[in-house]
């Protein structure tokens, strides 16, 4: 029997995966979210060692589009459930897709996330809807704790596509922190990104404790990133900009994309770095990046 999307499935963690395919089909029927022809089928059980609940000191960032489309939402939810961060910042996110991901997380994996949206576009081609009422597209933040003081800002110049940042205040490891989620202009638009970072950095500088997450579309040595590096280090302990040897600086950073570049960051302002993890995924050409903030430094893995 199909369970209505507003009702939670109360099962043990080990048994929930059995209901995954049925839930995916039911949600697809209710919301039009079935996998597209030739798409990836719903994932199976979580691997051994997967988190049983949201990890209080774990934060993550993930650009979830490409391959785009709602047919990947169950797989995206499974990836998030495996690591169960307290906070995860999503870029290139359609509101409809995030809603499905949240339902899968709750109904299949028992993970209850709040959501804050920061859409900067209405995009019918990417996000569905009606031509005169297209879906919202941009950033989203999922948090296991309540969020307050939401701010969504569109950059004055987005480049080839409107871009912006989303900010909220929430709890990470039991302490309040300002969380920023951004997606900067495309990789060949360094001058545009420079202007965007000026806007973002000015706001980040107002906070003593902040997490700045997102897809910056720039390698660490890119000159436009200098204002961010001046405010906060990245969670990758080996990744720092270098004015003398750009190749060496790039080699020291764990890549976060399928094309072997580091574009995704977790900048930590007023927060000690912790362990750093990069997880490639078939559901995006960006890897899921997460960090455990209070567990000491360890070598990055991939």
């Amino acid at each position: 029997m199909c369970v209505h999307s507003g009702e939670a499935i109360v099962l043990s963690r080990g048994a929930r995966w059995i209901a995954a395919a049925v839930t995916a089909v039911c949600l697809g029927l209710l919301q039009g979210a079935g996998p597209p022809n030739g798409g990836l089928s719903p994932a199976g059980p979580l691997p051994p060692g997967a988190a049983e609940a949201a990890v209080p000191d774990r934060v993550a960032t993930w650009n979830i589009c490409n391959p785009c489309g709602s047919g990947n939402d169950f797989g995206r939810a499974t990836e998030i459930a495996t690591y169960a961060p307290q906070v995860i910042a999503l870029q290139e996110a359609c509101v409809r897709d995030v809603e499905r991901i949240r339902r899968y997380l709750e109904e299949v994996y028992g993970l209850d996330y709040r959501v804050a949206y920061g859409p900067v576009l209405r995009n019918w081609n990417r996000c569905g809807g009606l031509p005169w009422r297209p879906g919202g597209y941009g950033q989203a933040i999922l948090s296991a704790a309540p969020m307050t003081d939401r701010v969504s800002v569109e950059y004055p110049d987005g480049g080839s596509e409107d871009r912006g940042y989303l900010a909220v205040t929430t709890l990470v490891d039991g302490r309040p922190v300002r969380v920023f989620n951004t997606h900067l202009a495309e990789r060949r638009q360094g001058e545009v990104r420079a202007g965007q970072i000026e806007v973002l950095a000015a706001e980040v500088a107002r906070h003593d404790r902040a997490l700045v997450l997102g897809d910056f579309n720039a390698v660490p040595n890119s000159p436009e990133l200098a204002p961010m590096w001046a405010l906060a280090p990245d969670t990758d302990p080996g990744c720092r900009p270098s004015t003398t040897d750009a190749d060496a600086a790039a080699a020291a950073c764990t890549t976060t994309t399928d094309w072997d570049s580091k574009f995704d960051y977790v900048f930590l302002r007023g927060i000690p770095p912790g362990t750093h993890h990069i997880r490639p995924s078939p559901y995006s050409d960006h890897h899921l990046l997460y960090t455990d903030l209070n567990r000491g430094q360890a070598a990055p893995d991939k």
Side-chain angles (χ1 to χ4, degrees):
M1 175 183 293
C2 291
V3 179
H4 188 275
S5 61
E7 299 173 349
I9 298 174
V10 182
L11 298 171
S12 67
R13 190 64 178 272
R16 285 188 184 112
W17 72 268
I18 300 174
V22 173
T23 303
V25 171
C26 294
L27 290 174
L29 292 172
L30 289 168
Q31 306 170 52
N37 291 335
L40 296 166
S41 60
L46 298 179
E52 289 289 327
V55 182
D57 65 346
R58 180 170 293 172
V59 297
T61 184
W62 194 18
N63 183 321
I64 62 172
C65 188
N66 197 14
C68 304
S70 60
N72 293 307
D73 287 341
F74 190 88
R76 293 166 179 154
T78 301
E79 295 283 282
I80 294 169
T82 298
Y83 310 111
Q86 174 79 1
V87 171
I88 182 167
L90 304 176
Q91 302 88 45
E92 296 199 53
C94 294
V95 171
R96 288 180 176 88
D97 287 340
V98 175
E99 286 302 314
R100 292 176 187 122
I101 289 169
R102 287 181 67 217
R103 290 186 177 105
Y104 289 136
L105 285 167
E106 180 180 2
E107 296 182 7
V108 179
Y109 297 116
L111 296 171
D112 183 16
Y113 282 101
R114 286 82 169 177
V115 64
Y117 292 108
V120 293
L121 279 175
R122 297 288 168 181
N123 194 302
W124 181 79
N125 288 331
R126 282 178 169 167
C127 298
L130 301 172
W132 56 90
R133 193 181 177 187
Y137 174 81
Q139 287 75 245
I141 295 174
L142 301 183
S143 173
M147 293 177 278
T148 61
D149 303 319
R150 171 192 169 274
V151 174
S152 181
V153 175
E154 183 175 337
Y155 294 124
D157 183 359
S160 57
E161 179 180 89
D162 293 345
R163 298 287 166 92
Y165 74 80
L166 169 66
V168 301
T169 298
T170 190
L171 298 178
V172 174
D173 203 26
R175 297 186 62 189
V177 62
R178 193 65 171 166
V179 178
F180 293 83
N181 178 14
T182 192
H183 185 198
L184 299 188
E186 294 179 355
R187 68 182 79 177
R188 295 180 178 85
Q189 299 174 341
E191 292 184 3
V192 176
R193 287 195 302 275
Q196 294 171 347
I197 288 178
E198 286 183 8
V199 173
L200 177 64
E203 183 60 26
V204 173
R206 297 178 57 246
H207 301 273
D208 293 330
R209 280 174 48 84
L211 296 164
V212 188
L213 317 172
D215 176 3
F216 284 71
N217 266 322
V219 297
N221 223 50
S222 300
E224 65 269 22
L225 287 185
M228 281 307 309
W229 288 116
L231 288 173
D234 180 59
T235 185
D236 186 340
C239 186
R240 299 292 181 268
S242 172
T243 58
T244 57
D245 191 341
D247 291 338
C253 301
T254 308
T255 60
T256 65
T257 65
D258 286 354
W259 56 92
D260 296 329
S261 293
K262 178 176 171 64
F263 277 6
D264 305 273
Y265 297 82
V266 175
F267 288 107
L268 307 172
R269 179 167 171 81
I271 301 171
T275 56
H276 174 70
H277 308 268
I278 303 292
R279 303 300 189 194
S281 169
Y283 304 107
S284 176
D285 57 357
H286 285 254
H287 307 336
L288 190 153
L289 186 163
Y290 75 88
T291 186
D292 296 320
L293 295 176
N294 295 315
R295 305 188 189 182
Q297 293 193 16
D301 56 5
K302 182 175 179 182

